[in-house]
Amino acid sequence: MPHLALYTFGVLKSPLTDPAPLTRELRDSGEAIYRTISRHPGYLTRAVAADRNRGSHFDLDWGAWGEFTVPTWYGKGRTVESAALDATLSLWTGLRPAFDAIYTGLHRAALNRRHDWFERTGHPSYVLWWVCDGEIPTWQDGVSRLEHVHDHGSAPHAFTFRHPFTPDATPTSVKAVGPNSDQVR
């Protein structure tokens, strides 16, 4: 059964190491959000570096998730002191569980504050795609698909919640993919 990959990327207004209250608030809320999302029905796993806290995203060992990379439009730092980004890569059982986790609870509250923490870049902040059971998406997969959505819009191999596709490349909607639906969840 296919799984849904979700890649998110945002450019922060200041580096993650900035001691300013807003940056600290984002960092502190992140751990609580990850804990909540990891218990959400339909959540499978996310990219976590094997050697956490030993460098910037770019220096870490991400194992099967591949080498960390960023979209071409990211123009800020790449060191621990200068990196001003937030990125996630996760796997889900389907559209509805991922949508519900993102748009409810603590994560929804954080989304409501995103303009306090993130720059408005004019680029999409997330992309979805289907992977075969057992396949681990890579950071490069996420970046290339995010850039595709920016350049060409949603397609079966790179899409958004607004214009999603089923694993067989059929356009669908999140509303159509629910607990009582016969479509893929």
Side-chain angles (χ1 to χ4, degrees):
M1 178 174 191
H3 292 141
L4 185 72
L6 167 62
Y7 170 74
T8 67
F9 185 84
V11 178
L12 297 169
K13 290 182 175 180
S14 62
L16 281 169
T17 56
D18 183 349
L22 278 176
T23 306
R24 254 194 337 257
E25 187 178 60
L26 171 66
R27 272 196 328 262
D28 293 347
S29 66
E31 283 307 313
I33 290 168
Y34 287 135
R35 276 192 307 277
T36 301
I37 283 180
S38 70
R39 293 188 303 263
H40 196 279
Y43 170 85
L44 296 171
T45 191
R46 72 179 172 102
V48 177
D51 51 353
R52 287 174 96 176
N53 302 322
R54 291 196 186 150
S56 76
H57 289 76
F58 301 93
D59 305 322
L60 301 176
D61 176 6
W62 294 95
W65 303 89
E67 182 179 340
F68 186 80
T69 187
V70 293
T72 55
W73 64 81
Y74 176 74
K76 292 194 173 184
R78 293 173 183 254
T79 67
V80 171
E81 297 79 24
S82 64
L85 62 92
D86 194 20
T88 64
L89 182 56
S90 57
L91 281 172
W92 297 82
T93 57
L95 281 167
R96 173 52 67 183
F99 181 87
D100 289 347
I102 302 300
Y103 292 104
T104 60
L106 289 176
H107 195 270
R108 177 63 198 187
L111 280 177
N112 290 340
R113 303 268 327 271
R114 68 188 173 273
H115 299 300
D116 292 341
W117 302 315
F118 293 95
E119 292 181 0
R120 295 178 191 212
T121 64
H123 297 275
S125 60
Y126 75 94
V127 66
L128 305 155
W129 70 99
W130 294 103
V131 297
C132 296
D133 187 21
E135 180 181 344
I136 301 293
T138 66
W139 290 107
Q140 182 58 53
D141 294 335
V143 167
S144 65
R145 290 165 196 269
L146 187 69
E147 290 174 343
H148 179 276
V149 164
H150 175 261
D151 295 343
H152 307 286
S154 286
H157 72 282
F159 53 89
T160 64
F161 285 120
R162 187 172 294 241
H163 301 287
F165 290 83
T166 64
D168 69 358
T170 304
T172 189
S173 73
V174 173
K175 290 179 184 176
V177 182
N180 299 321
S181 169
D182 60 359
Q183 292 190 26
V184 175
R185 289 192 229 150

